[in-house]
Amino acid sequence: MKKDDIFEFYRRLAEANPAPETELAYGNVFQLLVAVTCSAQSTDVGVNKATKALFEQVKTPGEMVALGLNGLKSHIKTIGLYNNKAKNVIALSEILVRDYGGEVPADRDALTTLPGVGRKTANVVMNCAFGAETFAVDTHIFRVGNRTGLAPGKNVDAVERALDKKTPHPFRVGAHHWLILHGRYVCKARTPECWRCPVADLCRFKPKTLDPASAEAKAAKAKKSSRVKAKRAKAKVGR
């Protein structure tokens, strides 16, 4: 995707959603860190349901440590891999209390040393909590980057580097949110909804998918054509 097209790509997404935010529910930076840590291989909706009561009770690392492993498990047992996630959350809470005065460090390298916190999680926290220009590449952003031609890459690290290099100001802080929401609701994995995509003309994905009505009409036309051909072939054989 060319430089001017990239700017226009983001401009349109920003026009449609001027103030994008994560769909994870949280009340402070620590809760955000917990929510993102719990979100691996789980939906934001599922995580929000699991953490709603938890976050009413637990607001600090110290309170999480006091809740304990079994107490945490009872809250998040509805999400995938909850046993490992609970162990990591308790462990990182203990470290935050011991080494950081109960505060979440505003440093990506420090965040990635915490149990269960990889680069993607750290990027989300840095972006959402501290306004850093980071690009947390999940499956949605990886797909959008490659499918559209915005930031092609063979792996998430390559796509992150491409986004960091190509994303212009003033879109760098909001880029992560625009791309993940676009991938989640429009540029879907199985059937991208190209007919309602605001950046379809800038995207290199082909062929563009039709709206349901047009797709149904096209399928009916193809089916009718197939029947006509079969009928003609049958008549030819019978001569």
Side-chain angles (χ1 to χ4, degrees), residues 62-202:
E63 290 175 346
M64 185 66 78
V65 173
L67 177 66
L69 183 61
N70 290 332
L72 177 55
K73 285 183 180 182
S74 69
H75 281 284
I76 65 171
K77 61 185 178 182
T78 56
I79 62 176
L81 307 175
Y82 76 93
N83 282 311
N84 285 335
K85 290 175 181 178
K87 291 177 183 178
N88 286 332
V89 168
I90 294 298
L92 71 83
S93 298
E94 291 172 342
I95 292 172
L96 291 177
V97 171
R98 185 188 69 213
D99 299 339
Y100 296 97
E103 299 294 327
V104 177
D107 180 274
R108 183 167 60 186
D109 291 338
L111 286 170
T112 56
T113 65
L114 298 174
V117 180
R119 185 176 179 87
K120 185 184 76 173
T121 296
N123 278 338
V124 173
V125 173
M126 290 301 298
N127 180 268
C128 296
F130 304 114
E133 296 176 356
T134 55
F135 304 88
V137 181
D138 68 348
T139 55
H140 296 298
I141 295 180
F142 182 79
R143 179 175 66 256
V144 171
N146 279 284
R147 179 183 278 169
T148 63
L150 173 68
K154 293 183 178 180
N155 53 54
V156 294
D157 291 336
V159 171
E160 181 184 341
R161 288 193 296 269
L163 287 172
D164 193 17
K165 180 180 179 180
K166 296 180 179 181
T167 301
H169 292 287
F171 308 115
R172 293 180 62 81
V173 173
H176 159 256
H177 301 291
W178 286 314
L179 294 177
I180 194 171
L181 294 173
H182 188 65
R184 184 174 289 166
Y185 298 112
V186 180
C187 195
K188 300 176 181 179
R190 293 186 178 181
T191 307
E193 298 181 0
C194 304
W195 68 89
R196 69 180 189 90
C197 174
V199 293
D201 59 312
L202 304 174

